[in-house]
Amino acid sequence: MALTEKEASQYSPNVLAFYGDSVYEQLVRREVVLRGSTNAGRLHDLAVKQVRASYQCEAVSVIEPMLTEKEADILRRGRNAGGISVPKSAKPSEYRRATALETLFGFLSITGQHDRVEQLFNEICKALPVGD
């Protein structure tokens, strides 16, 4: 079941980011597994690099120019969301941009725009390769 964009827009950015975090992490895990068989520890290390706030912050810079007006608005809502606790391992500005990315991925996924999620994720992977 998918929500309409209007319904999804009623959700707080933090709720969309909560969901988007899992969407993004699943994409990352699939990507590292498809790169080739290795041990689980190595897969974990590769995945962690891509789900860090600093990496996701860079990912926002990659996809920002290709966003629609609606997507850019969702991204802004995520970046400006209140009630975010920044972990000590991240800079506040990076963490806010990472939250924005997760908000966008959550919004797109919950509204059934899976092709768009894949398109944006593929652009991120092309622009920001993680060492093998």
Side-chain angles (χ1 to χ4, degrees), residues 9-100:
S9 293
Q10 300 303 310
Y11 282 72
S12 80
N14 292 334
V15 169
L16 294 172
F18 169 79
Y19 179 63
D21 176 59
S22 69
V23 171
Y24 183 80
E25 184 163 355
Q26 185 175 9
L27 291 166
V28 166
R29 286 176 179 237
R30 182 190 69 197
E31 177 69 18
V32 298
V33 167
L34 291 176
R35 285 188 202 154
S37 183
T38 186
N39 66 54
R42 178 73 177 133
L43 293 173
H44 173 76
D45 291 345
L46 289 169
V48 165
K49 288 179 183 178
Q50 288 182 270
V51 297
R52 280 192 179 126
S54 58
Y55 184 94
Q56 290 181 338
C57 178
E58 289 183 59
V60 170
S61 297
V62 169
I63 64 169
E64 248 177 335
M66 59 187 74
L67 298 181
T68 66
E69 189 176 320
K70 176 69 173 179
E71 292 166 346
D73 183 54
I74 297 298
L75 196 74
R76 269 189 302 281
R77 284 183 58 212
R79 186 185 62 234
N80 297 331
I84 295 174
S85 298
V86 180
K88 292 179 183 177
S89 62
K91 296 177 185 173
S93 61
E94 288 178 339
Y95 196 74
R96 287 194 167 282
R97 285 175 64 85
T99 301

